[in-house]
Amino acid sequence: ASNIAGLPDGSLIGSASLRRQAQILAINPTLKVVNFRGNVQTRLRKLGEGVVDATLLAIAGLNRMDMDDVATSVLDMDEMLPAVAQGAIGIQCREDDEKSLKYIMALSCQDTKTAVDCERAFLATLDGNCRTPIAGQAKVLPDGQLKFSGLIASPDGTKLYRAERTGSAADAVALGEDAGKELRAEAGEQFFADMQAYQQETGGRPPAQVAA
């Protein structure tokens, strides 16, 4: 299949991400998402053995391992939003360590920082964590504007709320916060209460139907 929508009904998808589970089921609720762990080689072996029909792997990781040929499709942002700040590397040091700060600032990418600031503001407004089906991605466009897309969903994908913002990169935090406020109002506080109850009950993990 070239995309998630192209998978046959009832297909078994391996993923340990609640965020991915929610987006997959929102596309096709007949698909089944099961807990799927292990390194890249282990997951590919399980896939080859027919334990699952499909799985999702980071293309950046496959490129780094010179294994991008195993990917049958690269999903775009419209089909699968990533986790907030996914792929960004943060370095911290003591605020009075001027020597370390000098080296760190030389490594810093302003566009990446701007995007991450927007995404994290969105996440903070929704009071989310790594076990919450929240996704968001911001990108600085060639004209200097910042474009942000974000969503929050129920684990089964039956409820999914999206928000988009485009504006000045200088307003990155405000754009993220505003998108978060929109989704918080649209989803309603009961949605977040139900989400918290789900996390307490399951630990925020997809069903553990596939052995490691």
Side-chain angles (χ1 to χ4, degrees):
S2 60
N3 53 34
I4 294 171
L7 291 169
D9 288 353
S11 294
L12 198 64
I13 316 301
S15 176
S17 166
L18 199 62
R19 168 184 50 80
R20 287 176 176 160
Q21 170 185 290
Q23 293 182 80
I24 289 169
L25 295 179
I27 294 171
N28 184 348
T30 75
L31 301 177
K32 296 178 175 62
V33 182
V34 293
N35 204 355
F36 202 57
R37 296 185 178 276
N39 58 30
V40 171
Q41 290 84 351
T42 299
R43 297 186 192 196
L44 290 175
R45 175 178 55 78
K46 292 178 181 180
L47 179 63
E49 293 172 350
V51 176
V52 294
D53 300 307
T55 189
L56 290 86
L57 298 168
I59 191 65
L62 293 176
N63 287 337
R64 195 162 52 244
M65 300 171 69
D66 198 24
M67 296 175 62
D68 56 300
D69 59 307
V70 305
T72 58
S73 176
V74 178
L75 305 180
D76 61 32
M77 192 171 73
D78 292 333
E79 188 173 13
M80 180 69 65
L81 276 176
V84 163
Q86 186 163 4
I89 299 173
I91 305 173
Q92 67 180 38
C93 72
R94 297 181 301 275
E95 62 181 358
D96 60 349
D97 188 342
E98 295 182 4
K99 183 176 181 180
S100 293
L101 284 169
K102 176 183 176 182
Y103 289 116
I104 289 172
M105 290 306 296
L107 296 172
S108 181
C109 172
Q110 186 56 51
D111 284 357
T112 299
K113 184 181 184 306
T114 298
V116 169
D117 285 347
C118 178
E119 295 169 14
R120 292 187 67 184
F122 172 73
L123 184 68
T125 303
L126 294 172
D127 195 25
N129 57 48
C130 62
R131 295 187 299 277
T132 309
I134 296 176
Q137 186 170 59
K139 183 178 182 180
V140 178
L141 303 175
D143 63 0
Q145 292 283 92
L146 182 71
K147 180 179 180 180
F148 172 78
S149 298
L151 67 81
I152 184 167
S154 59
D156 60 5
T158 57
K159 297 178 181 178
L160 190 147
Y161 306 94
R162 292 180 178 270
E164 293 192 356
R165 293 290 186 278
T166 301
S168 170
D171 298 326
V173 172
L175 291 170
E177 289 177 345
D178 192 53
K181 289 175 182 177
E182 176 188 324
L183 294 193
R184 194 163 195 101
E186 185 178 358
E189 291 308 312
Q190 186 57 49
F191 175 90
F192 293 92
D194 293 342
M195 186 64 61
Q196 186 175 27
Y198 178 88
Q199 290 183 37
Q200 292 174 348
E201 180 181 347
T202 67
R205 293 182 294 272
Q209 297 176 19
V210 175

